[in-house]
Amino acid sequence: MQNLFFAYKIAKDFDIKDKVIIQAINNFKGLAHRQEIIFSGKKLICINDSKATSFDASLQSLTGYNKIYWIVGGIPKKQDRFYLKEVKKNIIKAYIIGNSVSFFKNQLKKNIPYKISKTMRIAVNDIIKDLKSNKYFKSTILLSPAAASFDQFQNFEDRGNFFKNLIIRKIKNNV
């Protein structure tokens, strides 16, 4: 919303009419792997934010959604720390993937429930099980790993595409 407001102000400075601005906003698709909506239904939304490679980058998604089942993990940035006080109310559970499990456990413990899933595939399967047992209502599955992807994927695009394919196969067929 902040970016949208900023773009609107700039467009107004160039005397662009509101009708043209609204049309541009409605046609804007956004960039892949940056809060990209993969699936949206009555009871569930799935977001690919694979580009979020630090906690600060993940914070935007964590503040923007509710009832989040959060896939987090990979190779953390040096000195990265998670400040979850403002967002922990939005997170139902975190699912830790990747090789740096102890780092993420230490960041999450005492703040939010978590499960060590190790891989993206296991994390999505764990989330589906939890969603079925919790009778969810408008929950969010969020891949916003707050870490680099190189321990399990070639890059953030590879990680995001893997997530998208899992969601298409698993979620769309079960919801």
Side-chain angles (χ1 to χ4, degrees), residues 3-126:
N3 289 342
L4 183 61
F5 181 72
F6 184 69
Y8 176 80
K9 294 291 279 175
I10 290 171
K12 292 311 285 181
D13 287 345
F14 284 99
D15 294 323
I16 298 173
K17 296 183 187 317
D18 282 345
K19 183 179 177 180
V20 173
I21 297 170
I22 291 168
Q23 184 179 17
I25 290 169
N26 288 334
N27 290 328
F28 182 72
K29 297 292 183 218
L31 297 171
H33 314 294
R34 293 159 180 88
Q35 293 194 38
E36 177 184 17
I37 298 171
I38 304 305
F39 175 82
S40 183
K42 287 183 181 180
K43 295 183 177 182
L44 183 66
I45 186 168
C46 302
I47 306 294
N48 171 13
D49 194 26
S50 182
K51 178 70 168 121
T53 58
S54 69
F55 178 70
D56 282 342
S58 290
L59 200 53
Q60 290 296 316
S61 290
L62 293 171
T63 58
Y65 299 97
N66 293 307
K67 297 182 180 112
I68 299 171
Y69 293 83
W70 180 27
I71 301 172
V72 61
I75 303 171
K77 303 281 183 177
K78 279 188 175 184
Q79 308 300 319
D80 204 7
R81 296 291 171 256
F82 290 23
Y83 301 99
L84 296 165
K85 185 178 181 183
E86 299 298 318
V87 295
K88 67 182 182 179
K89 67 185 180 302
N90 298 354
I91 304 167
I92 292 175
K93 192 173 189 178
Y95 301 80
I96 302 171
I97 64 170
N99 296 336
S100 300
V101 169
S102 60
F103 171 83
F104 291 97
K105 265 178 58 174
N106 288 333
Q107 296 299 314
L108 299 175
K109 69 182 179 187
K110 299 180 185 173
N111 287 296
I112 59 171
Y114 65 87
K115 179 171 184 158
I116 298 167
S117 296
K118 270 313 233 178
T119 70
M120 180 88 65
R121 186 179 313 279
I122 294 170
V124 170
N125 287 335
D126 289 343

Side-chain angles (χ1 to χ4, degrees), residues 144-166:
S144 190
S149 58
F150 305 117
D151 58 338
Q152 293 185 326
F153 300 94
Q154 291 179 345
N155 51 44
F156 75 87
E157 291 101 340
D158 184 37
R159 175 174 59 194
N161 288 332
F162 188 84
F163 176 70
K164 285 195 271 191
N165 289 330
L166 278 175

